[in-house]
Amino acid sequence: MKRAGQRVVVGTEAPHTSQTSKKQKTSSYGSVFGESALCTSMDWGSLPHHVILRVFQFLTLVDRARASSVCRRWNEVFHIPDLWRRFEFELSQPATSYLKSTHPDLIQQIIKRHADHLQYVSFKVDSSTESAEAACDILSQLVNCSIKTLGLISTAKPSFMNVSKAHFASALTVVFVNSKSLSSIKIDDTPVDDPSLKVLVANNSDTLKLLKMSSCPHVSPAGILCVADQCHGLKELALNYYILSDELLLALSSEKHVDLEHLRIDVVSENPGQVEFHTIKKQSWDALVKHSPKVNIVMYFFLYEDEFDVFFREETPVTHLYFGRAVSKALLGRIGINCPRLIELVVCANGLQPLDAELIQIAQRCKNLTAMGLGECEVTCRGFVEFVKVCGGRLTQLSIMEEVLIPDSDYSLDRLHLEVSKHLGRMWFPDMMPTW
């Protein structure tokens, strides 16, 4: 009976104990998140400004604008300067583009209220001339800005290249003159010209650190030299190979000029046989590396096979090589001999001849090689294992399509992955072609 009585007591008190436990849990959570976080009738308008600001930063522009109409407090946060330091203008023609264009009324509101707050600005446009012209019109209105980073991005060509040079240069000049602290500029595939660059360095010579301007046909080596002469803090420069010259490299190597950390060079040919590529002397490359021993020289190649003849005939201090089109065994052989500073190599395609000897030579002579990528190429499993043996654990990135590897009498694909993993010191598998 006593036990039965105890059972009754426990049974009648259980609901009370459960409620107490729930209250304790609620109190515990409330101490961390705030009591109102668990209330269905929470007053969202009472959240601290910094919390609302953080939420707004994760919203898309349209959702951010809609959220600003929830209450007065949220509308106040919508106009806090910190929210508008970074902004991307998306400009497109709805009938022909996947981009969701920024609403014109919102653009005008941002320019009116936040032009002087904008610091990290980019313009993303589709291939239409109208979108690029609209971007130029907005640039022309940024007279009170203090932009630090400016990017003009075309999602497809020709875009900015179809805008008149005078219109583009005039709009860009407004930003160059009014922003006295530009440190990073990306103006690829635009009609920027030498006079524009002179305006840039005249107003931002002490702050400019990164200038990316590949595929800018109206810029000459003299324009780049102007930048090199004036911008002593320049750390990264990206340009087309046709602008690169011995004179420019020697200027960049002068003690009174910049100390580059990254030099990116795009070597592009749209029409095979119509462009003759010049040769850069070994002495010029040597001068640059002597002046800036840690400089990364990155080269992107989009050439046809018969256009590679002038490259890598003698030692070239390139560190990162990317081939977007097929390259020959002979060229890869020259890379193995003449690119001792090579860190990364990506080959999109090659013919149907195994590259065993070329890869092994690259592994042996390029002591800094840490990353390799192979696309439509062929390598025997035996040759690939030998390549990995030579490189060993220093290969931090190894992206090889399974179709590249040719099984032989020594290694099947299953055994290959175990052998390669052993030499790398980590588990490795070849990349698989995705199935749709």
Side-chain angles (χ1 to χ4, degrees):
M1 290 296 294
K2 189 174 182 180
R3 290 183 181 178
Q6 287 177 336
R7 286 196 191 98
V8 171
V9 171
V10 172
T12 56
E13 291 187 352
H16 176 72
T17 304
S18 177
Q19 286 295 109
T20 303
S21 176
K22 285 182 180 179
K23 287 182 179 180
Q24 287 174 344
K25 284 185 177 181
T26 301
S27 176
S28 176
Y29 290 140
S31 66
V32 178
F33 299 106
E35 289 284 351
S36 60
L38 297 177
C39 296
T40 56
S41 59
M42 176 193 294
D43 181 7
W44 290 93
S46 65
L47 288 173
H49 272 66
H50 72 276
V51 174
I52 304 173
L53 178 64
R54 185 63 175 161
V55 172
F56 271 41
Q57 288 172 338
F58 285 98
L59 296 179
T60 64
L61 182 61
V62 174
D63 290 338
R64 189 186 292 179
R66 288 172 179 165
S68 69
S69 64
V70 168
C71 62
R72 180 179 297 176
R73 190 179 186 87
W74 285 31
N75 189 262
E76 290 173 357
V77 174
F78 183 70
H79 295 293
I80 290 178
D82 282 349
L83 191 61
W84 301 104
R85 298 202 189 284
R86 297 181 181 272
F87 191 80
E88 180 177 86
F89 294 91
E90 289 190 329
L91 304 163
S92 65
Q93 302 302 304
T96 59
S97 176
Y98 68 89
L99 285 178
K100 293 183 178 179
S101 191
T102 308
H103 196 281
D105 291 343
L106 186 53
I107 290 176
Q108 290 306 314
Q109 186 182 43
I110 291 166
I111 292 173
K112 181 179 179 180
R113 297 196 178 199
H114 303 294
D116 56 338
H117 303 144
L118 296 173
Q119 293 186 0
Y120 308 93
V121 179
S122 63
F123 290 81
K124 183 182 288 185
V125 302
D126 59 11
S127 60
S128 66
T129 305
E130 293 83 357
S131 300
E133 288 177 340
C136 291
D137 291 338
I138 296 170
L139 279 171
S140 300
Q141 299 177 60
L142 300 180
V143 293
N144 297 316
C145 60
S146 55
I147 295 175
K148 294 182 178 180
T149 298
L150 174 65
L152 302 181
I153 304 165
S154 299
T155 58
K157 293 182 179 181
S159 192
F160 286 105
M161 292 305 300
N162 272 3
V163 177
S164 75
K165 187 172 73 169
H167 185 196
F168 181 84
S170 175
L172 204 60
T173 297
V174 171
V175 177
F176 288 170
V177 169
N178 289 281
S179 295
K180 304 294 185 180
S181 57
L182 273 167
S183 61
S184 176
I185 305 173
K186 183 181 185 297
I187 44 178
D188 295 342
D189 298 302
T190 67
V192 66
D193 54 14
D194 289 356
S196 301
L197 293 182
K198 290 182 180 180
V199 175
L200 168 66
V201 300
N203 292 277
N204 299 274
S205 61
D206 293 333
T207 58
L208 188 63
K209 294 183 178 180
L210 183 153
L211 177 60
K212 299 181 69 176
M213 47 179 301
S214 298
S215 301
C216 296
H218 301 296
V219 172
S220 70
I224 300 294
L225 284 174
C226 176
V227 175
D229 283 335
Q230 301 297 322
C231 300
H232 296 175
L234 191 67
K235 297 299 181 184
E236 183 170 345
L237 179 62
L239 42 80
N240 265 82
Y241 185 80
Y242 71 83
I243 295 180
L244 195 68
S245 65
D246 294 296
E247 182 184 16
L248 175 59
L249 287 179
L250 292 173
L252 293 172
S253 306
S254 171
E255 287 295 338
K256 64 181 181 179
H257 298 306
V258 297
D259 184 13
L260 283 182
E261 295 176 0
H262 301 277
L263 175 61
R264 168 182 159 160
I265 305 159
D266 290 344
V267 193
V268 181
S269 171
E270 300 292 345
N271 302 304
Q274 295 187 15
V275 178
E276 291 187 6
F277 292 95
H278 58 283
T279 302
I280 301 296
K281 296 177 181 177
K282 181 179 181 300
Q283 298 93 307
S284 303
W285 287 120
D286 290 344
L288 178 66
V289 175
K290 182 178 180 181
H291 178 70
S292 305
K294 296 182 179 179
V295 64
N296 287 304
I297 301 174
V298 185
M299 298 185 76
Y300 294 81
F301 282 89
F302 293 89
L303 302 183
Y304 296 91
E305 188 170 325
D306 57 352
E307 295 175 314
F308 282 106
D309 188 60
V310 302
F311 297 99
F312 310 114
R313 289 289 180 182
E314 55 185 0
E315 190 169 298
T316 308
V318 64
T319 56
H320 299 73
L321 272 176
Y322 305 93
F323 293 98
R325 292 181 180 144
V327 296
S328 66
K329 284 171 63 71
L331 180 70
L332 291 174
R334 296 205 298 268
I335 289 171
I337 295 173
N338 293 317
C339 300
R341 297 179 78 241
L342 192 64
I343 295 172
E344 181 174 8
L345 174 64
V346 176
V347 180
C348 174
N350 177 259
L352 299 179
Q353 297 175 296
L355 302 176
D356 299 17
E358 289 74 20
L359 291 184
I360 293 170
Q361 184 179 59
I362 288 172
Q364 292 172 338
R365 297 181 64 90
C366 304
K367 304 296 186 182
N368 298 317
L369 187 72
T370 59
M372 170 69 76
L374 295 178
E376 298 179 14
C377 306
E378 285 194 353
V379 182
T380 68
C381 288
R382 183 190 302 110
F384 184 65
V385 168
E386 185 61 31
F387 164 77
V388 174
K389 279 183 180 179
V390 176
C391 291
R394 62 185 165 96
L395 276 176
T396 57
Q397 298 181 47
L398 186 59
S399 178
I400 311 295
M401 298 301 297
E402 186 179 84
E403 290 76 12
V404 169
L405 301 164
I406 306 172
D408 49 42
S409 57
D410 289 341
Y411 297 99
S412 65
L413 288 177
D414 287 338
R415 188 184 168 203
L416 175 75
H417 109 78
L418 293 173
E419 188 70 14
V420 171
S421 299
K422 180 181 72 175
H423 292 292
L424 290 179
R426 67 181 188 278
M427 191 61 69
W428 178 88
F429 292 93
D431 297 335
M432 302 291 291
M433 184 71 72
T435 54
W436 304 101

